[in-house]
Amino acid sequence: MTAKIALLGAGGKMGVRLSQNLKGSAYEVRHVEPGEVGRQRLRTEVGVDCVPLAQALQDVDVVILAVPDTLIGKLSAEIAPQLKAGTMVMTLDAAAPFAGHLPQRPDLVYFVAHPCHPSIFHPKVHVEGAPDYFGGLKAPQSIVNALMQGPESAYALGEAVAKTIYQPIERSYRVTVEQMALLEPGLSETVCATLLDVMREAMDEVVARGVPADAARDFLLGHMTILSAVIFKQIPGQFSDACNKAIVNGKPRLLRDDWKKIFDREEIAESIERIT
């Protein structure tokens, strides 16, 4: 029996990506988008029309909330009374579920699925003329999934939908909502995005000190490639003694001794509260 999916926020940036991957799938998809700009985007880019919210939710099996984190609490509370018992509500990020913004409906299934995005080492990421840095187009990516609430039997449906909306898939991992929050915002944003922003600032600083801008950019990005390949064991290798000494001296200069506390539940919760 074909599962019926209501895709809310279908005309947004993420919604259109999901709509493209759901097109031609085994699912019956009902697209919901309140804005005319988004509706027109769906018609132009995907070739589908939207339906009213009430119609989309009628006897639906899965509701995907492709909307900003700040809207999930309000929107899920609005639709919950219209959903039959056993309906799966899928969010694309752990923030709102972790923060407790989903309605108290024990008879609903809550599922979270988030993309890892393609690895920087995958050759299909850098296809000339059509790079796929985000994923969901040509470059395979892994995904993480969490069954937050509901029977164990519901996991298979949630994972199958997640594999469809984020295809092509490399690997699929099962985690908890708490573990997903450690990955984002913890690992990916608080650590990775912050340090990358610092690296960009460092590049700007050497440019301000006289290094030609193109030379600084090429030098940094090139070193990021080889250093990352060694650090993450993409290739066998080791750093020179000079590089290792620079790391030992650089960490206390750049990082606080207690920086790993950002993964404490209280700090993760504070980070999520700021974005939801």
Side-chain angles (χ1 to χ4, degrees), residues 189-250:
E189 295 173 344
T190 307
V191 176
C192 185
T194 299
L195 293 180
L196 285 170
D197 193 61
V198 169
M199 291 166 65
R200 200 286 324 287
E201 287 187 16
M203 183 188 73
D204 292 343
E205 180 63 21
V206 300
V207 170
R209 292 172 183 245
V211 177
D214 288 344
R217 188 175 190 275
D218 284 351
F219 199 87
L220 177 60
L221 295 181
H223 277 75
M224 283 174 62
T225 300
I226 183 57
L227 294 174
S228 296
V230 173
I231 287 175
F232 291 102
K233 302 186 185 303
Q234 180 70 14
I235 61 172
Q238 59 185 11
F239 294 153
S240 66
D241 289 343
C243 183
N244 285 326
K245 289 178 181 178
I247 292 172
V248 170
N249 293 327

Side-chain angles (χ1 to χ4, degrees), residues 6-17:
L7 177 58
L8 278 56
K13 186 176 181 180
M14 193 65 186
V16 170
R17 287 178 175 273

